[in-house]
Amino acid sequence: MFLADKWTDFTLADAADGEKLEYWGKYLLRRPDPQAVWSDKSAAPLWDRADAVYSRSRSGGGKWSFKKRLPDAWQIRYRNLTFNIKPMGFKHTGLFPEQAVNWDWFSELISNAGRKINVLNLFAYTGGATAAALGAGASVCHVDASKGMVTWAKENVVSSGLGERPVRYIVDDVLKFVRREGRRGRKYDAVIMDPPSYGRGPSGEVWKIEDELYPLIKECMEILSDKPLFFLINSYTTGLSAQILKNILALTVEKKYGGRVTADEIGLPIKNTKLILPCGISGRWEA
């Protein structure tokens, strides 16, 4: 398993009964998590002390309830990066802390490349991977269909002291953008993507991962440089296994460029236990 165990400003305090209990900086949040199917709680007294609790509604969605007044946003750090955290709709906070294990992986590759690396970050959300790649010395093209998420990504990059680094922010449908980049003759040394299970582009374009993932990766092959450095696919889609990501990367990037493919679950350690909460899967190719 790829384990994100280097955090200091984030802690997974406990997980049980379909929920998780997390410290985001000094604030304790309680949120749903369907992977926590067991009932044993390792930090039972803490659950009632959560500063904010997200409860699902039977009719769909849900809402936050606050035990005390929290700021509209606050910051947490990971290594030299700073992220703006905001409790938002559908239980999210604007950051997936388990992705830190991938940030460390590709940051080391970028830092040791000995050349300028141009990274394409697709479905880039609030820019955790964008900030990490910039911090390692890469230039980044950040693409997401949501204008609000792109604005948040800019805030994270600036908060991390990386606002002067070479980055382009694009609000667009990912597949359309990649095809246009191919027609323009643009090339990238690395690709990061975190595709949703289902989504819509800014003009209503429908994305369904089972139908669109492989064609998207084939399109990305057309804009890879002659000496690509890495290719990273993240997925939180139930039923899509690590082996599937490994197969796709083997049939595309590894087949053309050689290198090495690995794939596994990503996870967060639960404090003071030997348990790990699984948080999706990642497929990695590196030269």
Side-chain angles (χ1 to χ4, degrees):
M1 176 175 276
F2 303 137
L3 191 61
D5 57 357
K6 302 295 189 295
W7 277 97
T8 56
D9 277 7
F10 169 87
T11 302
L12 179 57
D14 204 358
D17 293 326
E19 291 184 294
K20 56 189 174 184
L21 192 64
E22 308 157 305
Y23 279 106
W24 294 84
K26 65 181 181 180
Y27 300 111
L28 185 61
L29 306 185
R30 180 173 173 175
R31 301 190 287 160
D33 194 304
Q35 298 297 319
V37 298
W38 52 91
S39 58
D40 300 66
K41 293 180 177 177
S42 62
L46 272 182
W47 287 84
D48 292 331
R49 300 179 196 166
D51 298 312
V53 179
Y54 186 92
S55 303
R56 291 194 185 278
S57 168
R58 291 184 179 180
S59 59
K63 66 177 182 179
W64 288 96
S65 57
F66 297 93
K67 300 290 184 68
K68 71 177 185 181
R69 185 175 180 85
L70 300 185
D72 293 336
W74 65 93
Q75 294 182 333
I76 66 170
R77 292 183 58 82
Y78 183 77
R79 299 192 187 276
N80 62 335
L81 306 174
T82 300
F83 300 107
N84 297 282
I85 303 303
K86 310 171 190 176
M88 54 190 290
F90 198 62
K91 77 178 183 179
H92 294 306
T93 62
L95 192 69
F96 291 92
E98 63 274 9
Q99 287 299 325
V101 69
N102 284 322
W103 304 339
D104 289 345
W105 169 71
F106 66 67
S107 292
E108 184 175 4
L109 293 176
I110 293 168
S111 297
N112 294 333
R115 58 189 170 100
K116 181 180 178 181
I117 300 299
N118 192 18
V119 175
L120 177 62
N121 187 11
L122 303 174
F123 308 98
Y125 195 50
T126 60
T130 293
L134 290 171
S139 59
V140 180
C141 180
H142 174 110
V143 186
D144 197 278
S146 168
K147 184 177 180 180
M149 293 300 104
V150 172
T151 298
W152 196 336
K154 292 178 182 178
E155 294 172 0
N156 285 331
V157 167
V158 171
S159 294
S160 296
L162 302 168
E164 301 302 315
R165 297 292 177 90
V167 56
R168 288 194 298 153
Y169 298 100
I170 307 293
V171 179
D172 203 350
D173 174 74
V174 161
L175 184 57
K176 287 182 177 180
F177 176 78
V178 169
R179 286 172 174 164
R180 280 200 302 274
E181 291 291 84
R183 292 193 293 270
R184 294 170 182 139
R186 284 210 174 101
K187 299 292 182 180
Y188 295 88
D189 304 299
V191 175
I192 300 167
M193 63 172 68
D194 196 346
S197 302
Y198 179 86
R200 290 187 179 273
S203 300
E205 302 89 345
V206 175
W207 166 274
K208 189 176 180 183
I209 195 168
E210 295 88 345
D211 300 331
E212 307 293 345
L213 180 59
Y214 188 72
L216 173 60
I217 293 170
K218 294 285 283 186
E219 293 287 346
C220 287
M221 291 293 295
E222 300 301 315
I223 59 174
L224 284 177
S225 66
D226 293 336
K227 292 178 64 178
L229 184 64
F230 69 87
F231 202 117
L232 171 65
I233 310 171
N234 296 303
S235 176
Y236 295 88
T237 302
T238 303
L240 198 64
S241 71
Q243 185 63 46
I244 290 174
L245 297 188
K246 190 173 183 179
N247 292 347
I248 290 173
L249 289 170
L251 288 168
T252 53
V253 196
E254 185 184 37
K255 184 177 181 180
K256 182 174 180 179
Y257 296 100
R260 184 169 70 104
V261 173
T262 54
D264 209 337
E265 290 182 283
I266 51 178
L268 288 164
I270 301 174
K271 186 179 180 182
N272 297 328
T273 75
K274 295 181 180 180
L275 302 182
I276 297 169
L277 182 67
C279 306
I281 55 175
S282 289
R284 300 170 171 179
W285 172 86
E286 62 183 281

